C-alpha cells in the first residue's frame, strides 16, 4: 500500500484530534506519511483514547467511591496517549520527529511497555 501525507492535530481534549489527508485552511500539529491502514489505526487510537477520557470523567464524577477506577482510567488514557505519540513519531516526517524530540517526551514514551492493547489489565499493574 502506498504511503501518502496526512496532517494530524492533537489538541487539548483528545476528542478534538483529527487526521486529514489535505492541509486545508486549518492548522495541524504534525505531518506523517502513512498508508490508509496506518492512518485508520491512528484514528482508532484517537477514538479509544477519547472513550477512555470520557469513561474517566464519568467514573470520577459519578463513581468516585470506587477507589481503583480513577487510577485505572488514567493509566489507560495515558497508555493510549503514549501509543498515539509513538505512532505519530514512527510515521512522522523528519520535521515531525524533530518536533517530538524537542518536546522532550520521547524517552518517557519509550519507557512505557509497548502493546497493541493499551487497556490490557496485565499492563496496568
Amino acid at each position: 500500500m502506498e504511503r501518502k501525507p496526512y496532517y494530524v492535530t492533537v489538541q487539548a481534549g483528545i476528542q478534538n484530534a483529527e487526521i486529514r489527508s489535505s492541509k486545508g485552511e486549518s492548522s495541524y500539529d504534525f505531518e506523517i506519511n502513512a498508508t490508509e491502514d496506518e492512518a485508520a489505526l491512528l484514528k482508532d487510537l484517537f477514538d479509544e483514547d477519547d472513550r477512555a477520557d470520557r469513561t474517566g470523567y464519568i467514573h470520577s464524577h459519578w463513581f468516585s467511591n470506587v477507589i481503583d477506577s480513577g487510577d485505572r482510567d488514567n493509566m489507560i488514557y495515558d497508555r493510549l496517549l503514549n501509543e498515539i505519540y509513538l505512532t505519530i513519531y514512527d510515521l512522522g516526517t523528519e520535521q515531525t520527529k524533530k518536533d517530538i524530540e524537542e518536546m522532550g517526551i520521547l524517552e518517557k514514551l519509550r519507557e512505557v511497555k509497548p502493546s497493541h492493547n493499551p487497556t490490557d489489565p496485565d499492563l496496568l499493574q
Side-chain angles (χ1 to χ4, degrees):
M1 209 177 256
E2 183 182 335
R3 290 184 183 275
K4 62 181 188 175
Y6 288 90
Y7 305 91
V8 180
T9 303
V10 183
Q11 296 178 353
I14 203 71
Q15 69 274 11
N16 294 324
E18 67 178 350
I19 303 167
R20 298 187 311 272
S21 58
S22 65
K23 284 184 183 180
E25 301 271 327
S26 301
S27 63
Y28 60 93
D29 298 319
F30 303 106
E31 182 177 348
I32 63 171
N33 289 307
T35 64
E36 287 182 27
D37 290 344
E38 290 167 332
L41 174 69
L42 186 56
K43 172 76 170 95
D44 289 345
L45 287 171
F46 281 140
D47 292 344
E48 263 188 82
D49 210 40
D50 182 44
R51 279 191 297 278
D53 188 34
R54 291 172 193 268
T55 299
Y57 177 84
I58 290 168
H59 283 165
S60 69
H61 286 83
W62 286 283
F63 300 103
S64 57
N65 59 335
V66 180
I67 295 170
D68 291 340
S69 68
D71 291 341
R72 186 179 193 306
D73 295 337
N74 287 337
M75 290 171 74
I76 290 169
Y77 176 84
D78 288 348
R79 279 199 182 280
L80 285 162
L81 197 55
N82 281 6
E83 197 150 332
I84 287 167
Y85 273 100
L86 282 173
T87 301
I88 292 170
Y89 182 84
D90 289 342
L91 299 173
T93 62
E94 290 304 313
Q95 183 61 49
T96 291
K97 289 179 188 223
K98 181 181 174 196
D99 291 344
I100 291 175
E101 289 166 1
E102 288 177 357
M103 291 169 68
I105 62 171
L106 192 57
E107 184 176 315
K108 190 72 173 166
L109 293 174
R110 289 186 171 153
E111 287 176 11
V112 176
K113 192 186 302 185
S115 168
H116 292 290
N117 181 7
T119 60
D120 181 352
D122 292 338
L123 297 174
L124 300 176
Q125 297 175 7

